[in-house]
Amino acid sequence: MEVSVIGSSSQAKIRRTELAYRDLRLCFGNNDKSKVLSLKPNSLRFESQITRFRKAGLRFTVKAVQAEAVLESKSFARKKPLDRVNLFVGLPLDTVSECNTVNHARAIAAGLKALKLLGVEGVELPVWWGVAENEEMGKYDWSGYLAVAEMVQKAGLKFHVSLCFHASRQPKISLPKWVMQIGETESSIFFTDRSGNHYKECLSLAVDDIAVLNGKSPIQVYQDFCESFKSAFSPFIGSTITGISMGLGPDGELRYPSHHKTAKSGKMTGVGEFQCYDTNMLNRLKQYAEANGNPLWGLGGPHDAPAYDQSPNSTNFFKDHGGSWESPYGDFFLSWYSSELIAHGDRLLSLASSVFGDMGVNVYGKVPLEHSWYKTRAHPSELTAGLYNTASRDGYEAVAEMFAKNSCKIILPGMDLSDAQQQHESLSSPELLLAQIRTSCTKHKVGISGQNSASGAPGGFEQIQKNMSGENVLDLFTYQRMGAQFFSPEHFPSFTTFVRSLNQPELHSDDLLPAEEEVEATESVHRSSDPNVHMQAA
C-alpha cells in the first residue's frame, strides 16, 4: 500500500509516498485507549467510526483505483499563511526506560514515519539525568537515547533534546539513585518549605557551587553530564540534533517549586509558597541581609505569606493594597529571592553555551507561565516562583537579559491557553503574561520557542496559531506530546488540520473532487484487494 499526503492546494500534493511498514499498531500505554491506529497492506483504520473523521473535516474520495483524502478545514485553511515555523512534536516522557531500553519501539518508529509524512520538522525527547547516570556518579549509559537518535535520523526528522536534571511524577522517573542516597542523610540538598517539607524532584539552587555530591558540586556534575552527552552524540549534533534545552529547575523550568502540592480537582490554584527554608538558602539569605545592614531580615521568609492553596487576600503579604510585598522588607526579600533564581539560570545556561556553543545547535531554556493571579497588583504566583514581576515592576527584563548574555533562546509554554478558559476567580491572564514576556524578549533580541500545555486546552489549536502570528515570530513550536491520545480519532485529525494550515495558502475549489465521487475510506479500501491501491491521507 502507498500513502500520499494532500495539502491545502494542488501544488502541495505529495503523491505516492510509500509507507514502509505493514500490519502496524500503535500501542502507547497499557489501557484500552492505546489501540488507536491500525494500518495493514490494504487498509487504514482508526479503531472508531469513520464519521469522526468527517466531523473533523476529512472527506474521503475515490477516483479509478485511487482513493484520495482531501483536507477541508473551516477553522484553519482559509487563514493567511504564517511565516515559516519549525514544528516539532514531543516524544513520550518515558520513551527510554530506566533500564535504557526504548519503550514501545515499534510504535515510536511508526509514529515518526507518520509525523514525517504529515510534514512535521522534528521531534523532542527528554533525556533524564536519572536514567543516563542512574547507578553511580560518572557512569553514563546512553544506549537507549542513542537508539532513539538513530530512529529519528532514519525517519528523516530533526531532533531536539531536553536535558532533564529534575524528576517526573507521572510517569515516575526519579533523580539518580546515588543522588537520592546522598539526600537521605543530607536533606539540605533539596528545596524546603516553611513547614519543613522537602521537594525531592530537583536539587536546591543554593547548592549549585557546593561540593555536596561525593566531593563535586552539582554544577560540576551537570557539566560532566553535558560533556559526556556531547561526546556520545557528536555524530548527530549539528545535523540531526539541531537544538538542546538545558534543564533549569522543576519540570525543566526557571522557577522554584512553589506549587509542588497539586491543587485538588476543580479547586482554584492557590498562590504557592516560598521555597527558601533549606539550610543553604537560609545561610545565603542571612549573608544578604547582613550585607544590606538588616540582619533581622535574614532570619527566614515572610511570616505573613499564604499557604500553597490559599488566595492572595487570605493573609497580609500579597494584599493588593497595603500588602507587605510593597514594604521595604518585601522588596528586600523578593529582590534577593529572584536574584538567586536568575543567578542559577545564568550558571546553567553559561555551562550549556560553553559545552554546546561551537556545535552548530541552538541552546534553549524554559521560562514558566505563572499566569494565575496575574490581574492582581502583586502577581503572587509569579513571586513565589521567583519571578519578581508585579503591576509596578517588570520581572522579565532581567530574565531576558540573562538569556541574551548567554546567547540562548527562551521556551515559553502554555501557548494554547486563552483568558476565556480560565477560572474567573483566579484573576488569571495567560495571554497578557505571554505578551509581556515576549515584549521583553524582543527588546533584548532573544529568540522565542513555544509549547502548548501538557493537559491541552479547549480551542487550543486556534490559540496556538494566534500566538504564532504577529510581530514576535516563533522560530520553533513543540507540540506536547506523542502518545495514545495524540493518535486517537478524537485528536489526530484536528492536529493534522492544524499542521496543514500552518504554511499553506487558501483551499481552492479546483482542489476538490466532485461530491458524487465521495465514498467512505474504509469501504473503498476494503472493497479492493488490489495491492496497488493508492490512498492519500491528509
Side-chain angles (χ1 to χ4, degrees):
M1 171 181 146
E2 294 178 345
V3 175
S4 298
V5 179
I6 291 293
S8 58
S9 71
S10 56
Q11 291 80 11
K13 295 180 181 179
I14 306 171
R15 299 186 180 275
R16 301 177 62 84
T17 303
E18 183 176 0
L19 196 66
Y21 48 88
R22 294 165 57 94
D23 195 21
L24 167 69
R25 190 174 298 272
L26 295 180
C27 301
F28 292 98
N30 298 318
N31 53 37
D32 292 336
K33 293 182 180 179
S34 65
K35 296 181 178 180
V36 295
L37 175 63
S38 175
L39 290 111
K40 296 185 179 181
N42 293 316
S43 69
L44 183 152
R45 177 172 60 89
F46 280 93
E47 296 187 350
S48 69
Q49 297 179 353
I50 198 68
T51 54
R52 295 182 184 178
F53 289 93
R54 287 184 175 277
K55 292 178 181 178
L58 291 173
R59 177 169 60 80
F60 291 85
T61 66
V62 62
K63 194 170 185 178
V65 297
Q66 178 172 315
E68 183 172 288
V70 179
L71 184 63
E72 295 181 307
S73 171
K74 297 180 181 178
S75 300
F76 304 121
R78 304 199 191 293
K79 292 185 178 180
K80 181 182 178 181
L82 298 172
D83 292 332
R84 174 65 177 168
V85 176
N86 293 319
L87 180 64
F88 281 54
V89 172
L91 295 177
L93 293 174
D94 61 347
T95 294
V96 176
S97 71
E98 289 187 0
C99 300
N100 261 291
T101 59
V102 181
N103 285 323
H104 316 296
R106 190 179 179 191
I108 294 291
L112 295 176
K113 291 173 183 176
L115 294 178
K116 178 66 176 178
L117 184 67
L118 190 57
V120 170
E121 181 80 9
V123 292
E124 176 267 343
L125 177 68
V127 173
W128 299 96
W129 186 25
V131 172
E133 195 183 0
N134 191 33
E135 297 298 329
E136 61 182 84
M137 186 174 70
K139 182 180 179 181
Y140 308 101
D141 186 349
W142 302 108
S143 56
Y145 294 112
L146 285 168
V148 176
E150 291 172 359
M151 293 166 66
V152 173
Q153 185 182 64
K154 183 178 180 181
L157 293 167
K158 298 300 182 182
F159 203 20
H160 184 108
V161 173
S162 298
L163 303 180
C164 301
F165 298 103
H166 62 280
S168 167
R169 293 186 182 182
Q170 188 60 38
K172 185 172 177 54
I173 302 171
S174 65
L175 296 181
K177 292 178 181 177
W178 60 273
V179 173
M180 296 304 292
Q181 289 171 356
I182 294 172
E184 289 176 3
T185 56
E186 298 291 339
S187 60
S188 61
I189 68 173
F190 301 118
F191 285 111
T192 307
D193 63 21
R194 64 183 171 186
S195 299
N197 299 310
H198 303 298
Y199 179 80
K200 298 183 178 181
E201 294 176 26
C202 71
L203 299 182
S204 169
L205 59 80
V207 298
D208 277 354
D209 292 317
I210 302 176
V212 294
L213 300 179
N214 295 336
K216 287 191 174 184
S217 70
I219 288 293
Q220 291 173 318
V221 172
Y222 299 154
Q223 175 145 7
D224 291 345
F225 184 92
C226 290
E227 293 284 3
S228 178
F229 175 88
K230 176 181 176 179
S231 175
F233 287 82
S234 58
F236 301 97
I237 297 176
S239 53
T240 299
I241 297 177
T242 56
I244 297 174
S245 295
M246 187 68 176
L248 302 177
D251 297 325
E253 298 177 338
L254 182 66
R255 64 176 175 88
Y256 291 94
S258 53
H259 286 88
H260 65 80
K261 285 193 173 182
T262 307
K264 295 180 180 178
S265 179
K267 191 172 182 179
M268 185 171 56
T269 302
V271 300
E273 288 192 18
F274 293 110
Q275 306 292 309
C276 60
Y277 294 91
D278 64 77
T279 302
N280 298 291
M281 284 292 285
L282 289 174
N283 286 340
R284 296 174 77 92
L285 175 58
K286 182 174 181 287
Q287 293 170 8
Y288 184 79
E290 291 173 350
N292 281 272
N294 292 292
L296 294 179
W297 286 358
L299 301 180
H303 69 278
D304 56 348
Y308 287 106
D309 58 354
Q310 290 183 315
S311 67
N313 291 324
S314 59
T315 62
N316 186 64
F317 191 82
F318 292 123
K319 283 185 176 179
D320 258 5
H321 300 286
S324 302
W325 64 275
E326 286 191 289
S327 68
Y329 165 75
D331 180 63
F332 157 83
F333 175 80
L334 294 171
S335 296
W336 167 78
Y337 191 65
S338 62
S339 66
E340 289 289 311
L341 182 68
I342 291 175
H344 167 73
D346 184 45
R347 287 189 288 269
L348 291 180
L349 291 182
S350 175
L351 185 164
S353 293
S354 67
V355 174
F356 302 114
D358 61 346
M359 298 296 289
V361 296
N362 292 314
V363 178
Y364 297 79
K366 191 173 180 181
V367 173
L369 194 71
E370 297 288 351
H371 56 83
S372 294
W373 310 109
Y374 185 82
K375 293 179 180 179
T376 66
R377 293 184 62 246
H379 297 199
S381 289
E382 292 166 88
L383 298 187
T384 57
L387 302 157
Y388 191 2
N389 187 58
T390 68
S392 57
R393 186 183 192 277
D394 191 334
Y396 296 98
E397 287 280 324
V399 174
E401 187 176 2
M402 181 267 291
F403 271 79
K405 170 188 171 185
N406 292 291
S407 301
C408 294
K409 299 186 177 185
I410 282 182
I411 298 173
L412 296 179
M415 289 202 169
D416 57 331
L417 301 178
S418 65
D419 289 3
Q421 298 294 336
Q422 306 307 309
Q423 289 180 306
H424 177 72
E425 297 81 2
S426 70
L427 299 175
S428 170
S429 182
E431 294 183 49
L432 289 176
L433 179 53
L434 266 177
Q436 180 187 352
I437 300 174
R438 294 177 77 165
T439 297
S440 293
C441 289
T442 300
K443 178 179 178 179
H444 292 279
K445 299 180 180 180
V446 176
I448 303 170
S449 171
Q451 289 183 1
N452 57 308
S453 57
S455 58
F461 288 120
E462 290 87 349
Q463 191 65 27
I464 291 170
Q465 193 172 50
K466 177 182 175 182
N467 281 315
M468 285 181 172
S469 61
E471 296 180 358
N472 300 325
V473 179
L474 304 180
D475 76 319
L476 170 70
F477 185 86
T478 303
Y479 189 85
Q480 304 292 4
R481 177 173 298 277
M482 186 191 289
Q485 193 276 335
F486 179 84
F487 282 110
S488 70
E490 292 78 18
H491 175 269
F492 195 63
S494 297
F495 178 75
T496 298
T497 303
F498 166 69
V499 175
R500 291 294 172 216
S501 74
L502 291 183
N503 303 301
Q504 297 182 7
E506 293 184 0
L507 195 66
H508 298 289
S509 58
D510 60 357
D511 293 320
L512 305 178
L513 293 180
E516 61 269 16
E517 295 183 4
E518 294 187 28
V519 295
E520 294 285 355
T522 50
E523 294 176 3
S524 65
V525 175
H526 287 297
R527 271 204 298 264
S528 172
S529 59
D530 186 349
N532 294 316
V533 169
H534 308 298
M535 183 169 182
Q536 298 173 330

